[in-house]
């Protein structure tokens, strides 16, 4: 009865009323909103904007357009409308930027590649398009996109071949460092822990300090966000650095990393994270 009365035809739909118990609708939003978008929408409504003004403001939001594309691409892929889904994912690939220090930059690095890989597995045209984009990235020396596209194409062996050549060339060490986050899963999945310690984390304590600074910043709420009281991203951020040294059988260095992590964050979560990672990595290396 409620959905019929309010003429709701899709989920999720948010309907905003003037006051509690009121039937006067002052705003409506169909589709997924990020926390930032939702807060912005509510603040604009509270300022007294009409429903039409709210709709125009939301339509003008770049965030809204991106989330709409993401939701649409997923729905199309689930409906096996592969050609249309590919078009939407290509829009996301071309309009999101790796360098964005936002949720959207992270989406291009992680979520979009995972979903494109799924699409490639069932739609040959998507795989052909990704291969074309990879060739273009290589010609432009866009190593970041090239590495991501290799992952989408399930061709990390190509990335490893490049890495093995690059690590012997002093001129390319900066490129390896710049793309360390993208190389992490490739090296770890191939048990290349010694390479990770030498080329991705040559100064592990400095890396730990960098992660701690980022974690502390993440724990501080911004004007448009809230942070849970017990939120602590630091233990999960240091695991690959610590794990690489354990996997490479560099136990003395690993202990220094653990000591520094506990100095900065002596919590049960950190103790558990270090213990579990050490156990799993020692099992992985066979000792």
């Amino acid at each position: 009865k409620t959905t019929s009365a309010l003429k709701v035809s899709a989920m999720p739909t948010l309907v905003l009323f003037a006051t509690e118990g009121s039937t006067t609708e002052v705003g409506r939003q169909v589709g997924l909103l990020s926390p930032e978008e939702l807060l912005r929408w509510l603040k604009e409504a509270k300022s007294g904007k009409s429903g039409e003004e709210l709709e125009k403001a939301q339509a003008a939001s770049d965030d809204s357009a991106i989330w709409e594309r993401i939701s649409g691409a997923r729905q199309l892929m689930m409906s096996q409308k592969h050609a249309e889904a590919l078009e939407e994912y290509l829009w996301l690939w071309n309009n999101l930027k790796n360098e964005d220090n936002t949720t959207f930059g992270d989406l291009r690095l992680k979520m979009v590649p995972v979903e494109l890989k799924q699409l490639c597995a069932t739609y040959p045209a998507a795989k052909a398009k990704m291969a074309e984009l990879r060739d273009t990235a290589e010609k432009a020396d866009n190593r970041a996109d090239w590495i991501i596209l290799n992952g989408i194409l399930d061709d990390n062996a190509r990335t490893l071949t490049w890495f093995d050549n690059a690590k012997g060339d002093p001129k390319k060490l900066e490129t390896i460092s710049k793309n360390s986050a993208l190389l992490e899963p490739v090296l770890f999945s191939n048990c290349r822990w010694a390479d990770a310690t030498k080329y991705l984390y040559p100064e592990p304590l400095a890396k730990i300090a960098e992660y701690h600074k980022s974690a502390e910043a993440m724990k501080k709420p911004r004007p448009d966000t809230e942070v849970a009281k017990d939120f602590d991203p630091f233990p999960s951020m240091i695991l690959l650095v610590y794990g690489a040294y354990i996997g490479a059988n560099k136990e003395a260095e690993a202990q220094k990393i653990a000591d520094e992590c506990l100095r900065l964050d002596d919590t049960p979560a950190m103790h558990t994270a270090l213990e579990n990672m050490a156990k799993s990595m020692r099992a992985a290396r066979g000792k």
Side-chain angles (χ1 to χ4, degrees):
K1 291 182 179 180
T2 302
T3 56
S4 177
L6 295 175
K7 298 180 181 180
V8 173
S9 59
M11 296 292 285
T13 294
L14 296 176
V15 182
L16 188 63
F17 298 97
T19 59
E20 184 176 355
S22 170
T23 59
T24 302
E25 181 178 328
V26 296
R28 178 178 293 235
Q29 180 62 41
V30 180
L32 179 67
L33 289 179
S34 68
E36 294 83 1
E37 289 177 292
L38 176 58
L39 287 170
R40 182 170 60 244
W41 184 60
L42 291 173
K43 287 176 182 177
E44 288 173 345
K46 191 175 181 179
S47 70
K49 289 186 178 180
S50 67
E52 183 178 353
E53 289 173 325
L54 285 174
E55 187 175 346
K56 287 181 179 179
Q58 196 64 26
S61 168
D62 290 338
D63 289 2
S64 178
I66 291 171
W67 284 114
E68 184 177 344
R69 293 274 185 170
I70 292 169
S71 179
R74 287 173 174 168
Q75 289 296 325
L76 288 167
M77 185 163 64
M78 290 173 62
S79 301
Q80 297 187 353
K81 295 181 179 179
H82 296 140
E84 294 94 328
L86 176 60
E87 184 177 343
E88 293 300 302
Y89 280 117
L90 287 175
W91 186 93
L92 291 166
W93 178 261
N94 291 325
N95 286 275
L96 300 177
K97 302 298 181 185
N98 296 341
E99 296 79 13
D100 289 348
N101 190 24
T102 65
T103 300
F104 297 123
D106 205 38
L107 289 175
R108 191 180 192 271
L109 290 169
K110 298 177 182 178
M111 188 211 75
V112 171
V114 168
E115 297 187 10
L116 272 169
K117 187 173 183 177
Q118 294 172 351
L119 185 60
C120 287
T122 56
Y123 186 50
K127 191 170 185 177
K129 184 61 180 179
M130 294 301 104
E132 178 187 324
L133 291 174
R134 177 179 64 183
D135 293 342
T136 299
E138 186 166 27
K139 290 177 182 177
D141 199 26
N142 184 344
R143 197 57 58 183
D145 277 7
W146 183 80
I147 293 170
I148 296 170
L149 288 160
N150 280 338
I152 292 171
L153 291 164
D154 203 18
D155 194 9
N156 284 332
R158 188 180 296 236
T159 298
L160 277 178
T161 299
W162 169 83
F163 172 81
D164 285 334
N165 290 326
K167 70 183 185 181
D169 184 348
K171 295 179 180 179
K172 294 183 179 179
L173 293 180
E174 183 178 350
T175 302
I176 290 176
S177 177
K178 184 179 179 181
N179 293 289
S180 61
L182 298 176
L183 289 168
E184 280 176 343
V186 179
L187 295 182
F188 269 76
S189 63
N190 287 275
C191 303
R192 301 282 287 272
W193 306 305
D195 279 333
T197 63
K198 185 174 182 179
Y199 297 102
L200 305 189
Y201 323 121
E203 299 179 7
L205 298 187
K207 194 71 173 177
I208 294 302
E210 177 188 326
Y211 285 151
H212 184 255
K213 183 178 179 180
S214 296
E216 290 300 299
M218 291 169 66
K219 289 163 67 174
K220 296 177 182 178
R222 300 192 303 271
D224 58 348
T225 63
E226 293 183 6
V227 177
K229 188 177 181 180
D230 58 351
F231 175 62
D232 185 8
F234 189 47
S236 63
M237 295 172 75
I238 57 86
L239 289 179
L240 291 184
V241 179
Y242 179 60
Y245 277 82
I246 293 287
N249 203 18
K250 298 181 177 181
E251 293 282 354
E253 294 94 328
Q255 186 59 53
K256 291 179 181 178
I257 294 169
D259 291 343
E260 180 64 7
C261 290
L262 291 171
R263 185 187 72 80
L264 294 169
D265 188 26
D266 191 1
T267 61
M270 179 61 79
H271 280 274
T272 300
L274 292 169
E275 290 168 6
N276 289 342
M277 178 54 87
K279 183 179 179 180
S280 63
M281 291 306 297
R282 286 175 184 134
R285 78 180 190 213
K287 295 182 181 180

